[in-house]
């Protein structure tokens, strides 16, 4: 048996076809390495510099808000926080308790509010390249539960991702939403990729599929990206660093959908065209950050984050809708309460080369 196994392995190694495949792969890998390609990030973050850094989508709020955070450890990261909100138009609960724990391999976070709604995240880094992320939400009432699993593999010059939202086999068939994406650097500046989605609401219904294509180009101080979706939507973004402290961004979103009326469409229906353009800027002061944006729907928004003390930050947000004649205002204060021992741990952590938790 052992001799047969050795003979098989020798045949696989000495076979001319296998040798040619191996040599071709080695030559391709060497040429690929010589290009000096870098990891392009993920498809979800193809426009991260504009959508998450410059624009106010992830920072805007209304009403009054107060956040009190008590860190207990820096390495591993562990802290608890209490969040209070009043008059929020985004539906924020009056009180939320949160806790967070993180090591170079594990990241855990949980939130529970006064209405009994719970949300949690659990991430695990299997290797330096492979990370699994889970997200769960439980709320009172039917149909409010959600479960999501993400798997991201980060190569030297590519990123592959596989997601599953509410996966289930309990209805006699596969249901849920499944998304796979791949982003590859083809030159030091250009990356292209695609995203494929398969979803099925119930076992007695047919599945739906969609494919989107993305591209990202990175210059010395600017980044441009574009995404073409199967539903007929085109998204483009442009980010540029003007100075060390000033960043600007622009985003254009076009949608082409079947509409009622018009000529040339299916069954007499025309093509409805909708578009939104957003311009934004971010300015970093010494102790504060100011963001502002304006879009083609007439909305003007701004956000000022000011650190008045080393562990106290004030935030002011405002939005004015010119067409609807509506205004929104938000004011928040964030307080951290570390002790001297944690301050020493933080200084040591900054000088350490350990990888951060898999957020």
């Amino acid at each position: 048996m052992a001799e047969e196994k050795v003979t098989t392995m020798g045949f696989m190694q000495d076979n001319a076809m296998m040798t040619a495949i191996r040599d071709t792969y080695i030559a391709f890998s060497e040429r690929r390495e010589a290009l000096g390609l870098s990891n392009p990030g993920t498809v979800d973050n193809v426009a991260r510099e504009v959508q998450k850094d410059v624009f106010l989508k992830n920072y805007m709020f209304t009403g009054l808000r107060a956040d009190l955070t008590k860190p207990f450890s820096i390495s591993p990261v562990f802290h608890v926080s209490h969040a209070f909100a009043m008059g929020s138009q985004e539906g924020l609960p009056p009180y939320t308790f949160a806790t967070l724990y993180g090591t170079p391999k594990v990241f855990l976070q949980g939130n529970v509010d006064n209405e009994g709604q719970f949300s949690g995240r659990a991430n695990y880094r299997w290797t330096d390249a492979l990370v699994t992320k889970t997200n769960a939400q439980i709320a009172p009432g039917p149909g409010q539960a959600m479960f999501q699993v993400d798997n991201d593999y980060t190569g030297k010059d590519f990123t592959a991702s596989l997601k599953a939202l509410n996966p289930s086999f309990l209805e006699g068939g596969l249901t849920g939403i499944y998304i796979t994406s791949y982003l590859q650097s083809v030159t030091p500046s250009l990356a292209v990729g695609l995203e494929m989605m398969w979803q099925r609401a119930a076992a007695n219904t047919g599945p739906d599929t969609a494919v989107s294509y993305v591209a990202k180009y990175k210059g010395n101080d600017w980044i441009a990206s574009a995404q073409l979706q199967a539903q007929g939507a085109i998204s483009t973004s442009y980010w540029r660093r003007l100075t060390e402290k000033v960043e600007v961004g622009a985003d254009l979103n076009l949608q082409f959908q079947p509409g009622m009326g018009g000529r040339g469409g299916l069954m007499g229906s025309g093509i409805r065209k909708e578009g939104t353009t957003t311009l934004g800027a971010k300015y970093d002061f010494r102790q504060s950050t100011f963001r502002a944006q304006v879009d083609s729907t007439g909305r003007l928004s701004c956000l000022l984050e000011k650190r008045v003390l080393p562990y106290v930050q004030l935030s002011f947000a405002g939005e004015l809708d010119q067409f609807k004649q509506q205004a929104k205002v938000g004011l928040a204060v964030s307080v951290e309460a570390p002790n001297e021992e944690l301050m020493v741990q933080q200084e040591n952590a900054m000088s350490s080369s350990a990888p951060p938790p898999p957020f």
Side-chain angles (χ1 to χ4, degrees):
M1 189 69 180
E3 294 180 358
E4 182 179 354
K5 182 177 181 180
V6 172
T7 303
T8 304
M9 292 298 297
F11 173 78
M12 294 295 293
Q13 294 177 357
D14 299 335
N15 183 273
M17 181 178 295
M18 296 301 300
T19 301
I21 294 175
R22 184 175 64 251
D23 293 342
T24 302
Y25 175 78
I26 294 175
F28 176 77
S29 299
E30 291 177 351
R31 293 184 179 182
R32 188 173 171 181
E33 188 74 21
L35 292 175
L37 304 179
S38 60
N39 183 270
T42 62
V43 172
D44 289 341
N45 293 327
V46 69
R48 178 184 59 84
E49 291 79 9
V50 175
Q51 298 291 343
K52 298 184 178 181
D53 292 345
V54 175
F55 287 176
L56 280 67
K57 181 179 180 180
N58 296 328
Y59 305 94
M60 193 64 191
F61 66 96
T62 57
L64 300 177
R65 199 182 70 189
D67 300 328
L68 176 61
T69 302
K70 174 61 178 179
F72 291 93
S73 175
I74 299 298
S75 182
V77 178
F78 177 64
H79 68 240
V80 299
S81 63
H82 307 268
F84 304 88
M86 182 175 63
S88 173
Q89 299 185 23
E90 291 83 15
L92 292 178
Y95 172 75
T96 302
F97 173 80
T99 182
L100 182 149
Y101 175 83
T103 68
K105 281 188 170 293
V106 179
F107 173 76
L108 302 174
Q109 183 182 23
N111 303 326
V112 61
D113 59 30
N114 59 290
E115 298 178 354
Q117 179 172 324
F118 170 81
S119 62
R121 297 169 57 196
N123 304 344
Y124 186 80
R125 178 180 281 118
W126 302 95
T127 65
D128 293 340
L130 179 61
V131 176
T132 297
K133 304 177 181 179
T134 60
N135 189 355
Q137 179 176 320
I138 302 175
Q144 298 296 321
M146 184 274 293
F147 180 72
Q148 179 177 336
V149 181
D150 299 358
N151 294 279
D152 296 332
Y153 185 86
T154 305
K156 291 183 178 180
D157 55 6
F158 72 93
T159 299
S161 302
L162 177 62
K163 302 180 182 179
L165 179 62
N166 290 337
S168 176
F169 294 92
L170 302 179
E171 299 182 12
L174 182 63
T175 60
I177 301 176
Y178 302 87
I179 302 173
T180 179
S181 61
Y182 183 85
L183 188 62
Q184 171 72 57
S185 294
V186 294
T187 71
S189 300
L190 178 63
V192 296
L194 56 83
E195 182 179 75
M196 296 178 290
M197 182 192 68
W198 185 95
Q199 65 175 352
R200 192 180 186 184
N204 57 358
T205 61
D208 295 326
T209 59
V211 180
S212 301
Y213 304 92
V214 299
K216 181 178 181 180
Y217 191 90
K218 183 177 181 180
N220 293 330
D221 56 0
W222 61 274
I223 298 175
S225 64
Q227 183 170 6
L228 174 62
Q229 299 178 359
Q231 296 84 355
I234 301 176
S235 300
T236 61
S237 66
Y238 178 80
W239 172 88
R240 187 178 185 91
R241 183 181 295 276
L242 299 181
T243 66
E244 183 179 354
K245 297 183 178 181
V246 180
E247 304 174 21
V248 295
D251 182 83
L252 174 63
N253 199 324
L254 298 176
Q255 294 185 358
F256 302 92
Q257 298 178 351
M260 300 302 296
R263 297 180 180 179
L266 182 63
M267 299 297 291
S269 62
I271 300 298
R272 184 178 59 191
K273 304 175 183 179
E274 297 179 354
T276 304
T277 302
T278 306
L279 303 176
K282 173 187 174 184
Y283 192 99
D284 291 321
F285 297 91
R286 188 171 64 90
Q287 295 291 338
S288 61
T289 300
F290 177 76
R291 292 179 174 88
Q293 75 177 47
V294 60
D295 59 34
S296 56
T297 63
R299 290 188 303 176
L300 174 64
S301 308
C302 66
L303 174 71
L304 176 63
E305 298 173 316
K306 172 69 174 179
R307 188 164 293 278
V308 295
L309 292 173
Y311 298 101
V312 179
Q313 176 176 291
L314 295 178
S315 301
F316 173 80
E319 180 180 288
L320 178 62
D321 194 321
Q322 302 283 352
F323 295 159
K324 297 181 180 180
Q325 296 296 315
Q326 296 178 353
K328 303 177 182 179
V329 178
L331 179 63
V333 56
S334 301
V335 180
E336 296 183 7
N339 51 35
E340 295 182 0
E341 182 179 354
L342 289 179
M343 297 173 64
V344 175
Q345 291 184 15
Q346 185 174 7
E347 294 179 356
N348 296 333
M350 294 177 61
S351 60
S352 176
S353 58
F359 294 111

